[in-house]
Amino acid sequence: METPPSTILETKVTTLQGVGPARAALFSALGLHTIGDLLRHLPFRHEFEHAEEAVATATLFVPAEGANLAVRGEIVAVRVTPGRKARVEATLSDGSGTVRLVFFNAPWMKSKFHPGLRGIAEGKAKSRAGYLEMSNPKWTALASGSETNTASEPASREARLRPVYAASESISSALIEQTIASVLVPACAAIQDPLPSLYRTQHALPPLGDAYRAFHAPRDLDELAAARRRLAYDELLALQLAVAIRRRLREEGGASVLPTSARIEKEIFARFPFKLTKEQLRAFSEIASDLGKSTPMNRLLQGDVGAGKTAVALCAMLLAKSHGAQSAIMAPTELLAEQHFRSITKFLEGTSVRCALITGSLTAGQRTALRKQVKAGEIDILIGTHALLTDALEFQHLALAIIDEQHRFGVAQRAVLRSKSGVDRTPHMLVMTATPIPRTLALSVYGDLDVSVIRSKPLDRQKIHTRLLPSARANEAYQFVRTRIEQGEQAFIVVPAVEASDLGLKATDTHLAFLQAGALHGLRLANLHGQMKPEDRDATMTRFLRHELDALIATVVIEVGVDVPNATVMVVEHAERFGLAQLHQLRGRVGRGTKGGVAILIGDATTDDGHARLEAIRSTDDGFKIAELDLTIRGPGEFFGARQSGLPPLVVADLTRDLPLLELARRDAFAWIERSPRLADPAEALLKRKIIHLYGEAFGLGDVA
Ligand code: ADP
Ligand code: MG
């Protein structure tokens, strides 16, 4: 049974004590209008706050190696030691004794202190020859002793976990905390829990209201952990329910059934001048098994650059052709589409398979003619760019759509393809990517995808040697580039920026001029970056392919898979600024030919972590290991276009840590949708509204609403 809507959660914040119109406006700026908004404004972390101690007591128990401490008192002296390592010292007295507060490299701290000022210092205290010293403690000023009496100060603190909220310049985390605390208990009591109690007991999760209460004001770590688990589970469950509904809708769409057979496969494999590797064969058999079903395939084919994904994709397209059905393959750029067209037509020489290329550069007449052929079923494999989706193109029977290196392929495009397919069935879909997706992401952001993986590369691929160089030795890298170019090879030089800026980063234009005037004088150089018009970019890339250029000074636009077998050297400037997966992708560009590639990463890692990352990329060539590492270091938000996916971010759940919880939520969600495909039960209304609100658009759940 649904309980009536709780009014306290919809009540405006202005009704709260101490929140007038001015303050309410500040809350509004943070998106906090009602008490419910406040409650959903969860702290992004919690800090441990120590109980205040009397200095005399603390002096007795703080050991030589130090202990955390909070002390309240009055500043009695301030001193600055000048010099390069400026140090500010303030002496704090609480009547029972004194503590010395020492601030290193923070000369501005001096202005924060004056004798008579009262406040709380917290941090690690060490015992030094009979007195206590705190280095760089956290300082919270209260008031000057001369101005107020201490009676108006907040009461002495107990040890506790303090919530830390996203705040603004005008509203502090502490004020948000105070405001939330003033309504926390009644507001939490009004929360309806959409989760059936069966799940709660099974997974030992606290009720939702309790979880909110404990997350805002935890009594201890256990309570906080339980609250976090509940809130994270809810987030993941909502996401997985959306995924499960999406999958359900897709399955109801129906697809062409394209079974394979030994005879068909023999013919398919005969197209290649090489033997497919074991992993290519396994990936194909997974795809073929999907194609044999009436449920539309939705599969991701992952394989490092050069793993041979295109061959596997072609096998799938040939399987479709053996049933008289059409396939389309979509590449992100014209250049890549042309490259696919060239290699695919080569494999198909001497067969009756008809292959065509559709790009923006066709004339209107050519386009019309091609459209006719496609509609009449005279083309078996159509290769193109996004033009495939936008063009007024219609197939006779499109059964399989393949997307290459496209991270942002979504539900909307699928609907477009279905409408063009020429039959009332959803095309099978295969997405190829060189960026390995860690399991957590495959199950969440891409939770609707099955995954096939090609882990190894065909044997005759060349190894890429990776070297690290500090920026002071960059010249050695360019001398090496020069030598290779003089031997008839080509190079990529990657910089992080297009235009020079205050950040002091190397940029394409200035770096080209710099190299032209110096190390690479007299060589044929050109820029390539994302701010160029696509035609200009393609033109430059084509000149490079034809070896009319020796080196490209580029941004990461070259990351996506163009094959230039003669390019054997890559230099990456400011390598420490790039993601690991990105560096790995980049260097894959110079391993495409028969000669060994060399990648020189120039960078000055300033932290141990930064150094470890560069060392990791130097020492391993395993794209999967690198992707996992990247995910732990950078977090999923940055990863693999997760941000561009259009999904709202997870607030409490953390994909780098919550895999077990994610799997639990996934199992529950899929079982739930099995039982209740449209969440049509009135008891599910609240949950359904939440899912449509969060994921309706991104997952195209309109039919369900
Ligand atoms: P990816 O798209 O995964 O980066 P490609 O499909 O472009 O890789 O393959 C890279 C190169 O390896 C191509 O020239 C392709 O013809 C070749 N290749 C693919 N599979 C094999 C194989 N089994 N044995 C030898 N060469 C292969
Ligand atoms: Mg490729």
Side-chain angles (χ1 to χ4, degrees):
M1 280 299 296
E2 203 179 2
T3 40
S6 47
T7 49
I8 182 166
L9 296 176
E10 278 124 45
T11 307
K12 294 262 179 297
V13 292
T14 37
T15 58
L16 295 174
Q17 183 99 61
V19 182
R23 198 163 267 182
L26 298 177
F27 276 116
S28 276
L30 286 171
L32 309 175
H33 313 286
T34 63
I35 290 174
D37 293 337
L38 279 179
L39 213 57
R40 284 183 292 270
H41 190 62
L42 294 168
F44 61 91
R45 67 186 162 89
H46 296 80
E47 282 177 354
F48 193 74
E49 224 175 53
H50 290 269
E52 287 172 28
E53 296 287 347
V55 176
T57 325
T59 312
L60 288 177
F61 75 73
V62 168
E65 68 272 17
N68 282 311
L69 199 66
V71 185
R72 181 192 306 227
E74 185 176 318
I75 298 295
V76 291
V78 187
R79 205 164 78 93
V80 180
T81 320
R84 267 201 318 138
K85 292 201 168 170
R87 128 192 187 122
V88 176
E89 286 184 15
T91 308
L92 181 77
S93 163
D94 75 344
S96 76
T98 61
V99 181
R100 185 182 295 172
L101 315 179
V102 185
F103 300 88
F104 297 96
N105 298 320
W108 62 87
M109 284 306 294
K110 180 181 186 307
S111 62
K112 289 212 171 194
F113 295 110
H114 57 84
L117 177 72
R118 292 187 54 78
I120 301 170
E122 52 193 309
K124 189 153 183 168
K126 281 188 176 166
S127 177
R128 289 214 190 285
Y131 66 91
L132 285 178
E133 181 174 298
M134 293 168 98
S135 298
N136 295 317
K138 178 171 177 220
W139 172 252
T140 312
L142 294 172
S144 285
S146 54
E147 291 158 20
T148 49
N149 55 7
T150 53
S152 67
E153 284 180 10
S156 172
R157 276 184 357 203
E158 300 290 326
R160 65 166 195 140
L161 284 158
R162 171 179 47 209
V164 184
Y165 294 93
S168 70
E169 234 164 70
S170 3
I171 294 202
S172 66
S173 172
L175 179 62
I176 295 173
E177 179 188 347
Q178 216 179 348
T179 312
I180 291 177
S182 72
V183 284
L184 191 58
V185 171
C188 287
I191 288 181
Q192 300 175 52
D193 194 336
L195 193 66
S197 58
L198 180 71
Y199 286 77
R200 283 213 316 270
T201 39
Q202 255 176 14
H203 305 327
L205 295 166
L208 191 58
D210 292 3
Y212 269 102
R213 209 272 309 134
F215 205 71
H216 283 291
R219 293 190 188 105
D220 55 43
L221 276 173
D222 287 345
E223 200 186 61
L224 176 61
R228 199 196 87 83
R229 193 160 165 274
R230 168 68 209 260
L231 297 175
Y233 172 85
D234 277 30
E235 274 188 326
L236 296 170
L237 181 72
L239 173 61
Q240 290 300 320
L241 281 170
V243 167
I245 295 171
R246 181 64 249 154
R247 168 168 279 215
R248 182 88 185 191
L249 290 175
R250 176 164 58 80
E251 287 173 358
E252 287 167 3
S256 305
V257 180
L258 313 165
T260 186
S261 71
R263 186 186 56 78
I264 294 175
E265 289 187 1
K266 193 165 163 234
E267 219 167 278
I268 292 175
F269 298 149
R271 299 305 345 131
F272 299 98
F274 43 73
K275 270 182 80 149
L276 294 186
T277 63
K278 239 181 22 218
E279 307 213 11
Q280 281 174 313
L281 288 173
R282 200 198 40 222
F284 173 63
S285 84
E286 287 165 358
I287 292 165
S289 142
D290 285 358
L291 294 180
K293 294 178 192 146
S294 63
T295 304
M297 171 171 76
N298 196 31
R299 188 170 283 277
L300 188 75
L301 178 58
Q302 276 178 210
D304 216 345
V305 281
K309 297 182 291 293
T310 315
V312 174
L314 182 55
C315 290
M317 295 192 282
L318 290 174
L319 173 56
K321 156 71 181 163
S322 75
H323 292 277
Q326 293 168 298
S327 305
I329 179 162
M330 192 164 98
T333 67
E334 292 214 355
L335 202 72
L336 278 168
E338 281 164 24
Q339 186 176 296
H340 277 312
F341 181 70
R342 271 197 305 274
S343 64
I344 287 174
T345 41
K346 215 161 89 203
F347 288 131
L348 295 179
E349 255 165 40
T351 70
S352 61
V353 184
R354 296 150 304 179
C355 193
L357 178 68
I358 180 168
T359 64
S361 24
L362 291 186
T363 65
Q366 288 170 322
R367 193 173 280 266
T368 317
L370 184 56
R371 263 185 221 143
K372 266 205 197 113
Q373 285 183 294
V374 171
K375 179 69 208 164
E378 292 161 19
I379 300 293
D380 303 303
I381 294 177
L382 185 61
I383 298 164
T385 53
H386 256 86
L388 272 175
L389 290 178
T390 49
D391 198 274
L393 185 73
E394 218 189 288
F395 290 81
Q396 186 190 53
H397 177 189
L398 178 68
L400 170 63
I402 298 176
I403 322 295
D404 187 19
E405 312 276 4
Q406 171 61 278
H407 298 171
R408 269 190 280 175
F409 196 80
V411 171
Q413 286 93 331
R414 183 190 291 280
V416 172
L417 282 170
R418 185 187 168 99
S419 73
K420 291 171 171 295
S421 71
V423 287
D424 186 24
R425 268 165 278 171
T426 305
H428 292 286
M429 190 87 68
L430 181 69
V431 180
M432 303 197 284
T433 175
T435 310
I437 308 181
R439 184 164 161 70
T440 41
L441 287 182
L443 289 181
S444 55
V445 180
Y446 303 93
D448 194 23
L449 287 173
D450 296 308
V451 181
S452 291
V453 179
I454 307 177
R455 258 187 183 267
S456 62
K457 296 181 192 177
L459 285 179
D460 57 352
R461 293 212 69 85
Q462 291 298 319
K463 198 172 154 36
I464 299 163
H465 295 278
T466 303
R467 279 198 60 187
L468 307 180
L469 267 188
S471 59
R473 291 173 59 190
N475 198 44
E476 293 172 37
Y478 293 111
Q479 286 316 319
F480 180 77
V481 167
R482 188 171 191 102
T483 314
R484 284 292 187 105
I485 289 177
E486 282 167 0
Q487 290 168 10
E489 294 166 31
Q490 289 165 281
F492 291 110
I493 293 152
V494 182
V495 296
V498 176
E499 276 162 29
S501 71
D502 321 339
L503 293 172
L505 297 179
K506 300 221 162 57
T508 44
D509 51 354
T510 48
H511 201 49
L512 184 137
F514 168 79
L515 293 173
Q516 193 95 71
L520 304 185
H521 184 71
L523 302 179
R524 297 166 302 173
L525 313 178
N527 279 151
L528 188 76
H529 56 75
Q531 287 176 23
M532 290 161 69
K533 286 205 212 94
E535 309 89 89
D536 296 344
R537 221 160 59 202
D538 272 9
T540 301
M541 206 59 214
T542 307
R543 282 171 65 211
F544 190 62
L545 252 170
R546 294 196 186 128
H547 203 168
E548 293 165 17
L549 292 168
D550 297 310
L552 289 180
I553 290 83
T555 57
V556 291
V557 292
I558 58 160
E559 184 185 342
V560 180
V562 177
D563 253 337
V564 186
N566 194 50
T568 57
V569 194
M570 171 173 291
V571 176
V572 182
E573 291 274 2
H574 302 287
E576 75 281 357
R577 302 188 66 92
F578 293 91
L580 290 189
Q582 203 170 29
L583 285 173
H584 182 65
Q585 285 261 44
L586 278 171
R587 73 176 165 186
R589 298 294 109 224
V590 292
R592 315 291 288 185
T594 48
K595 292 171 213 152
V598 177
I600 306 176
L601 309 181
I602 300 178
D604 303 308
T606 47
T607 60
D608 285 355
D609 200 41
H611 190 79
R613 296 175 61 224
L614 288 180
E615 182 50 36
I617 192 105
R618 191 195 64 75
S619 59
T620 176
D621 193 33
D622 183 338
F624 287 82
K625 240 191 242 159
I626 291 168
E628 294 286 351
L629 201 63
D630 214 25
L631 181 69
T632 14
I633 295 172
R634 297 201 303 163
E638 302 272 330
F639 198 83
F640 193 70
R643 191 168 286 160
Q644 293 114 295
S645 67
L647 299 185
L650 298 168
V651 179
V652 181
D654 174 354
L655 290 179
T656 56
R657 285 187 297 159
D658 286 330
L659 182 59
L661 203 59
L662 175 63
E663 285 175 335
L664 193 67
R666 186 174 174 85
R667 262 202 311 280
D668 291 346
F670 276 70
W672 192 322
I673 295 305
E674 190 68 32
R675 265 196 328 271
S676 175
R678 295 282 191 277
L679 297 180
D681 192 296
E684 297 167 330
L686 188 66
L687 192 62
K688 181 167 170 173
R689 231 182 305 139
K690 175 174 163 189
I691 291 163
I692 301 285
H693 170 71
L694 286 172
Y695 300 111
E697 198 168 325
F699 282 167
L701 303 182
D703 304 359
V704 180

